[in-house]
Every structure is written in C-alpha cells, then in structure tokens.
Amino acid sequence: MTEEWIDESDPRFHESEPVDHYVEGDGYDYAAPRIAYPTADRAISSFRASAPTALAAYGPFRVVDPTRAVLVGTTTSATPAQFAALLRAYPQLRTLDLVEAPGTENDRANLAVGRMIRAAGLTTRVPRGGSVRSGAVELFLAGARREVEDGARFAVHSWRDNRGREADDFPTGAPEHRYYLDYYREMGMSTDGAREFYAMTNEAPHARARWLDAREMRGWMARTLRNAANDNEAAGDAPRIAYLDVTGATQ
C-alpha cells in the first residue's frame, strides 16, 4: 500500500476537498487553496522585473548571483533533480531566499530538497514581504542558518494524505508522525521542540492555515534550538546548533 501526502498547492487537493478559507486574524477571510497560483505568478513576474539579470532558472529557483538563489514557486517531484543541478552549476551557493513559496505538490520530494539544503550548509532567508506557506516551511527549517526579516510571513497547517486523513486522525506514535518529527530533529530541533512545533502546525486543519509573523517564527526557532542545545539525545548535533541561529536581518 502506498500512502501519499497532498499539499494545498497540489491541484489534486481540489478534486476531493471543497474550497475552505484560510483565516488570517479578524477581518481577513479569503479562499486560499486556489490563491497559491496567481499569487506565485505575480511574485515571479515581480521578481523577473526587479532582477532581469538572473543568471539561470532551475524549476522554482532563480539564481541571482553565484552565491544566492531565490525560491519563487511550488516544489514538485522534479525539484530534487533541479536543485541538485543548481548546486552542481553553482558550487559557491551560500544563501536561499524564500520570496513566494506556496508549498509543494510532493511532500517526500520536498523533504528531500530540505535535506539537500542542509547538506549544502545553506542559509535560508525570508525577506520583508516574503511568504512561506505549508510545505515550504520545511525548506526554511532546513537552513544551516535561518534569517527572518520583519514583514516576513509564514502559514502552517495539518498535512493530509490521499485518503483524506489528517494528522489528528492518527494515534500518537504512529509512523506517519515520525516522518515529520524525524525531519525536525535532523534540522536541529530538540525532541520536545520538534513535538511542540509539529503539534502547533497540526492544530490548524489542512484547509485552514495558521499564520505566523516574523516575531512568532523567530520565537519558535529560538525556543526549539535553545532546547536542543540541552537535549542529551541531540548531543551529536551540538556543533551544528551553534550556528543554527535566528536573526532579524535588515538590509
């Protein structure tokens, strides 16, 4: 039997799931699953207009200079190969900016890209106005160093498999949970921090996101990483934790 996780940006999401609303605080209510595509299109157009000298494109990634790339789009099953090609072509790459990141069409491929980001030692950065949603949050977490500017925004929600089941449909300790918890631990979170962050993301059902601003995301990162430094189970990761800091970078 094959299980599959479907993200909000996957067109198949709309085949069986009615369009619900993401709630972004009082007074903000809009049909969000379908908004990912036009929003991404506008961000990509804006990026191209402001950075006409981009060196190359690899799927949703745009290379700005040999040391920096920008993510403007959805990751798919093809993205790991595209990102590997980017790393081969630009071995001096140091920073990945997440500008307009709606999520992923293939969660397993998305986490593979996250592990590639970590293995390459890249800094992940969300600039002012950057929008990181759903599965793209895992890519942000992959950074060996993480930077969040004021004005950056994040959206999290529960995953959903191809049978329509969500995280809270599975008992504690189910292997479906380990899939994400293990990833968070690999990305430097403490055992308790990974559980707390995972629980927070799953408090929002798949069709309704919880929005986090820059301050809130910095708080989550600082707490989970600080705890990891004192987590005996993470002792082997301690050298890595030292530079997994969260900064309010400014330009």
Side-chain angles (χ1 to χ4, degrees), residues 2 11 21 28 45 75 78 87 98 128-129 134 143-144 174 177 215 220 222:
T2 300
H21 293 83
Y28 296 89
S45 297
T75 62
L87 293 175
L98 286 77
R128 181 182 299 274
S134 192
H177 298 310
R215 179 187 58 80
W220 275 104

Side-chain angles (χ1 to χ4, degrees), residues 60-249:
F61 301 100
R62 305 291 184 270
V63 179
V64 177
D65 64 54
T67 65
R68 185 167 71 96
V70 177
L71 175 60
V72 280
T74 301
T75 62
T76 70
S77 59
T79 305
Q82 293 164 342
F83 193 65
L86 187 161
L87 293 175
R88 288 194 299 270
Y90 295 93
Q92 296 179 341
L93 189 72
R94 295 293 177 267
T95 303
L96 175 63
D97 286 358
L98 286 77
V99 174
E100 169 57 34
T104 184
E105 294 180 10
N106 186 309
D107 217 26
R108 293 185 184 278
N110 190 63
L111 295 194
V113 173
R115 291 183 169 100
M116 294 167 70
I117 291 171
R118 170 53 61 90
L122 302 183
T123 292
T124 52
R125 173 177 171 269
V126 186
R128 181 182 299 274
S131 179
V132 178
R133 308 189 295 281
S134 192
V137 173
E138 273 69 53
L139 300 185
F140 166 71
L141 296 176
R145 178 183 176 94
R146 302 153 181 169
E147 298 180 352
V148 182
E149 289 193 355
D150 290 340
R153 302 167 71 229
F154 301 80
V156 298
H157 60 74
S158 172
W159 51 264
R160 190 187 72 157
D161 68 15
N162 59 339
R163 293 183 173 185
R165 298 173 300 181
E166 300 192 14
D168 62 3
D169 292 319
F170 293 84
T172 301
E176 289 80 2
H177 298 310
R178 298 304 317 173
Y179 181 68
Y180 295 94
L181 291 170
D182 289 348
Y183 179 84
Y184 293 149
R185 293 285 289 119
E186 289 179 45
M187 298 306 121
M189 289 186 180
S190 67
T191 300
D192 288 343
R195 290 171 180 161
E196 291 172 7
F197 186 81
Y198 180 66
M200 180 273 293
T201 66
N202 288 315
E203 287 174 357
H206 186 84
R208 297 176 66 88
R210 172 177 176 174
W211 287 88
L212 306 174
D213 60 21
R215 179 187 58 80
E216 290 172 307
M217 181 56 79
R218 291 184 195 127
W220 275 104
M221 294 301 93
R223 181 162 66 254
T224 57
L225 295 177
R226 182 175 61 247
N227 291 344
N230 298 317
D231 189 337
N232 291 333
E233 293 182 33
D237 293 334
R240 183 180 300 167
I241 297 300
Y243 56 83
L244 282 172
D245 58 348
V246 181
T247 63

Side-chain angles (χ1 to χ4, degrees), residues 44-57 62-65 68:
I44 292 170
S45 297
S46 175
F47 170 77
R48 287 173 175 166
S50 63
T53 58
L55 302 179
R62 305 291 184 270
V63 179
V64 177
D65 64 54
R68 185 167 71 96

